[in-house]
Amino acid sequence: MCLLISDKRTRELIALQKFLKWLGTLRISLVPFVMIVCIFNLIAFQSPLLDYALTVSDLRSSDGIIQIISLQILQICLLAASLFFLSSLSVSLMRWVVAVLFICNAFGLYFMISYGIEIDRSMIANVLNTDSREATELLHISVIVPTFFLGLVPAFFILAINLDVPKRVWRFAYGIGSILILASWIMMTSFTMLWYDSHASRMGGKILPWSYIVNTARYFNRSALDNREQTLLPNGYFLSEKPDKKEVVVLVLGEAARADNFSLLGYKKNTNPFTKNHQLAIFPTGLSCSTNTISSAACIFTHEGQQAPSRTKFEPLPSYLTRHGIKTIYRTNNSGPPPMTVNIYQTTKDISDSCIDTNCPSGAYDDTLIWNLDKLLKEENADRIFVTLHLTGSHGPAYYKKYPPEYEHFSPVCKTVQIAKCTERELINAYDNTIRFTDQVIANLISQLKSLEQTNATMIYVSDHGQSLGENGYYLHGAPIAIAPPEQRRIPFMVWMSDGFKKSRNLTNAGILTDITLPHDYPFHSVMGAFQMRSDIYKPHFDIFNTRSGDS
């Protein structure tokens, strides 16, 4: 039996050696090689782009047919020109670039099909700012098949095959020729430009490999601009130099919590059983300024709110408060905050690692963020304390990992990152459990704030953005704002005020509510208002605690 196995393996090795020897004898000239690469790229990786293009083009007309043909010519000529120009620098470099692109394309195709995403700049930001835990939650064993057959195998052939390479000048000329062919076609079919212009943002996020190449460059360009030296805001002042009681303001930044699934806002399932008796002021549903954490966090922490330009460089709220002597604490179970200066910065891992008790938090869930927070607040001697808690909340697709097993109240649940394969009921149950667990965290936070003696406290909860749960084929978040489904933008905004805080400001829950909610415009100015802080950039109409018109 052992001899048979040994003979079989020997034959397999001999066959592999013969194949590799045969492959080593294959020779192909550069132009056919580039054309094969371009055509394979179309066949293997175009399906998301083509699916969308076919929905916005009328193939019953000649214009529609030419639009689809133009899309193919555009992809072939752009890729061919790029490869010819690369080969004029180094043929080896060109081959390795093609190999890497095929592997990246295979990954991109998998995630685009599995989650219905588009690889625009916002999605690149999500990818590059996703921590290792969130990244592993996105992976599934099914990624192996497309990566192997569409990425690794073609990459192997690209690197193994022999090329007959013309002189460098001809390689460069081929690149120029590809550009001229594309330019000529564009001139002959200029009537398609309006179609391209109308759908550029959508198609740009679906075309591989350009979607991630161009948008990665755009992301780093944006990051470089964002990392410029921050402009300090005008100095502020307090209406009273020293408050009568310690003032504590807590801003809870939720993650992917959509308003549609809050029972406090009319959802049919009881996802807010823990806070319903805590006398929260529930604002009408509002719209987030973005569909990704980085942009939304920047919106929330800037005095400009939704009016902030995409490249604002003003110092964020925590830095502003720190500079004015307010004790600032930032606890996070997430990623994506803008650069800021705070007195205490702690991740859930930091909090868990610092625990010396017998009953320490695991560090995996959001309840770690409020572990011993009341003790920390009591021990602080500062008159004014600002706390930011950045939750992981309802970040998908591994919703079932965002809450402890004992909080699996709604069942059955989706227990895979391949959420498109779950039933609608399983997916929504898993998501609703995350909302319910967040509700428990908020309720426990309020209980801690209530326990603080001689303290006027308030809490503001706002989500960074919403979440798609399969509506119209969309999952997760990060869709371009121009076409983002409402589920990715409709978010909750809730406020709790201690009795002492209400009495000191003569406020009621009903009195601070607004007819229209601007959830990402309110936090900066409302936190200033809670501390009775004023400056030239303070906007009283965005301060929910300023119920007296004209107060500045």
Side-chain angles (χ1 to χ4, degrees):
M1 183 66 177
C2 292
L3 287 174
L4 289 174
I5 295 174
S6 177
D7 288 344
K8 182 178 179 181
R9 289 178 177 173
T10 300
R11 289 195 298 271
E12 290 174 348
L13 287 173
I14 292 173
L16 179 60
Q17 289 174 347
K18 289 182 177 180
F19 172 74
L20 293 175
K21 185 177 180 180
W22 170 81
L23 186 62
T25 63
L26 281 181
R27 302 195 69 85
I28 186 172
S29 61
L30 181 63
V31 173
F33 171 83
V34 169
M35 291 309 300
I36 290 171
V37 168
C38 294
I39 292 171
F40 177 79
N41 189 74
L42 285 183
I43 295 172
F45 305 117
Q46 191 189 193
S47 59
L49 173 66
L50 193 58
D51 287 346
Y52 173 76
L54 291 174
T55 64
V56 294
S57 185
D58 184 7
L59 294 183
R60 295 171 298 180
S61 67
S62 59
D63 285 359
I65 294 173
I66 293 176
Q67 287 164 359
I68 300 300
I69 294 174
S70 294
L71 197 58
Q72 313 308 303
I73 292 176
L74 171 68
Q75 294 178 80
I76 290 174
C77 289
L78 277 180
L79 186 56
S82 300
L83 297 183
F84 284 132
F85 287 138
L86 272 175
S87 71
S88 68
L89 297 175
S90 168
V91 174
S92 295
L93 173 63
M94 183 266 294
R95 289 155 70 111
W96 277 102
V97 167
V98 172
V100 171
L101 289 180
F102 279 171
I103 295 171
C104 292
N105 281 1
F107 266 103
L109 182 69
Y110 170 80
F111 287 106
M112 290 169 76
I113 292 176
S114 296
Y115 300 119
I117 64 170
E118 296 177 11
I119 308 179
D120 61 355
R121 189 182 66 187
S122 297
M123 190 55 64
I124 293 294
N126 284 335
V127 171
L128 295 180
N129 288 274
T130 294
D131 55 35
S132 57
R133 182 185 61 188
E134 291 178 347
T136 55
E137 290 174 355
L138 286 166
L139 295 177
H140 186 269
I141 193 171
S142 60
V143 74
I144 294 175
V145 175
T147 303
F148 181 77
F149 287 105
L150 297 180
L152 292 174
V153 171
F156 171 76
F157 277 94
I158 291 297
L159 297 174
I161 200 167
N162 295 303
L163 286 179
D164 288 328
V165 182
K167 291 182 178 180
R168 193 182 304 271
V169 66
W170 283 108
R171 288 176 255 161
F172 188 81
Y174 292 148
I176 296 295
S178 301
I179 295 296
L180 291 176
I181 291 172
L182 177 60
S184 300
W185 179 263
I186 290 174
M187 290 177 63
M188 291 188 296
T189 59
S190 58
F191 59 87
T192 62
M193 289 299 102
L194 181 60
W195 179 75
Y196 278 114
D197 185 63
S198 300
H199 307 289
S201 61
R202 298 294 307 278
M203 291 194 294
K206 296 175 181 292
I207 185 170
L208 295 170
W210 304 108
S211 56
Y212 58 82
I213 292 176
V214 173
N215 286 306
T216 297
R218 292 179 64 212
Y219 167 78
F220 281 110
N221 178 60
R222 168 69 184 272
S223 296
L225 292 169
D226 286 346
N227 289 329
R228 295 173 299 178
E229 184 177 352
Q230 291 181 342
T231 300
L232 299 182
L233 297 174
N235 290 334
Y237 63 92
F238 299 98
L239 296 182
S240 59
E241 184 175 343
K242 182 179 177 65
D244 296 333
K245 294 181 180 181
K246 179 186 287 187
E247 295 178 343
V248 174
V249 179
V250 181
L251 174 62
V252 182
L253 183 55
E255 166 69 47
R258 68 187 211 176
D260 296 350
N261 290 58
F262 275 62
S263 57
L264 290 172
L265 289 166
Y267 185 49
K268 61 183 179 180
K269 291 162 68 175
N270 189 13
T271 52
N272 302 113
F274 305 107
T275 59
K276 66 179 181 180
N277 295 322
H278 275 293
Q279 297 182 327
L280 286 168
I282 312 298
F283 284 66
T285 296
L287 297 179
S288 65
C289 69
S290 178
T291 61
N292 70 83
T293 300
I294 294 175
S295 298
S296 290
C299 246
I300 291 169
F301 287 128
T302 179
H303 70 288
E304 300 163 294
Q306 297 195 56
Q307 297 303 314
S310 59
R311 296 171 180 175
T312 182
K313 58 178 182 177
F314 289 108
E315 64 180 326
L317 176 63
S319 300
Y320 191 49
L321 300 180
T322 303
R323 189 159 62 84
H324 284 80
I326 295 176
K327 186 77 173 187
T328 51
I329 302 169
Y330 197 102
R331 287 184 161 191
T332 180
N333 195 21
N334 208 314
S335 57
M340 62 178 63
T341 301
V342 294
N343 298 118
I344 299 175
Y345 183 92
Q346 295 175 308
T347 65
T348 49
K349 185 179 185 303
D350 296 332
I351 298 169
S352 180
D353 290 347
S354 67
C355 176
I356 57 175
D357 296 344
T358 55
N359 186 26
C360 293
S362 67
Y365 305 113
D366 283 337
D367 54 0
T368 303
L369 296 174
I370 62 172
W371 181 79
N372 275 355
L373 181 60
D374 54 345
K375 181 180 178 182
L376 177 61
L377 295 174
K378 290 173 183 177
E379 292 174 349
E380 285 292 342
N381 294 322
D383 295 324
R384 298 179 175 96
I385 304 174
F386 175 64
V387 181
T388 304
L389 304 178
H390 195 174
L391 313 183
T392 191
S394 303
H395 192 284
Y399 302 114
Y400 66 100
K401 291 184 177 180
K402 299 302 177 184
Y403 52 86
E406 61 268 25
Y407 281 87
E408 190 173 292
H409 180 76
F410 304 108
S411 61
V413 301
C414 177
K415 292 194 174 183
T416 175
V417 297
Q418 292 186 295
I419 52 180
K421 293 186 177 181
C422 294
T423 65
E424 180 182 10
R425 181 186 178 196
E426 290 170 339
L427 178 58
I428 292 176
N429 280 340
Y431 182 82
D432 286 345
N433 283 331
T434 67
I435 301 295
R436 191 174 183 272
F437 179 61
T438 296
D439 192 66
Q440 170 75 82
V441 173
I442 294 173
N444 289 344
L445 169 63
I446 293 173
S447 296
Q448 289 191 23
L449 296 177
K450 285 181 176 179
S451 72
L452 303 178
E453 298 178 354
Q454 296 298 306
T455 300
N456 290 335
T458 186
M459 180 215 70
I460 298 172
Y461 172 86
V462 61
S463 181
D464 57 355
H465 50 73
Q467 192 82 329
S468 287
L469 298 175
E471 297 87 0
N472 299 314
Y474 283 97
Y475 293 92
L476 307 179
H477 55 268
I481 199 70
I483 54 94
E487 294 82 8
Q488 292 189 25
R489 294 195 65 197
R490 290 168 51 85
I491 58 172
F493 187 88
M494 307 184 299
V495 176
W496 173 85
M497 300 176 287
S498 69
D499 291 337
F501 182 86
K502 289 179 180 178
K503 186 176 180 181
S504 67
R505 309 297 171 83
N506 193 28
L507 297 173
T508 63
N509 281 357
I512 68 171
L513 295 180
T514 54
D515 295 329
I516 299 175
T517 304
L518 302 171
H520 288 176
D521 286 297
Y522 290 162
F524 190 103
H525 304 281
S526 296
V527 170
M528 285 187 67
F531 286 120
Q532 293 190 306
M533 183 179 177
R534 301 291 187 266
S535 76
D536 291 344
I537 51 89
Y538 168 71
K539 299 176 182 177
H541 53 287
F542 287 150
D543 176 6
I544 59 173
F545 304 118
N546 176 38
T547 58
R548 299 181 299 279
S549 61
D551 183 13
S552 60

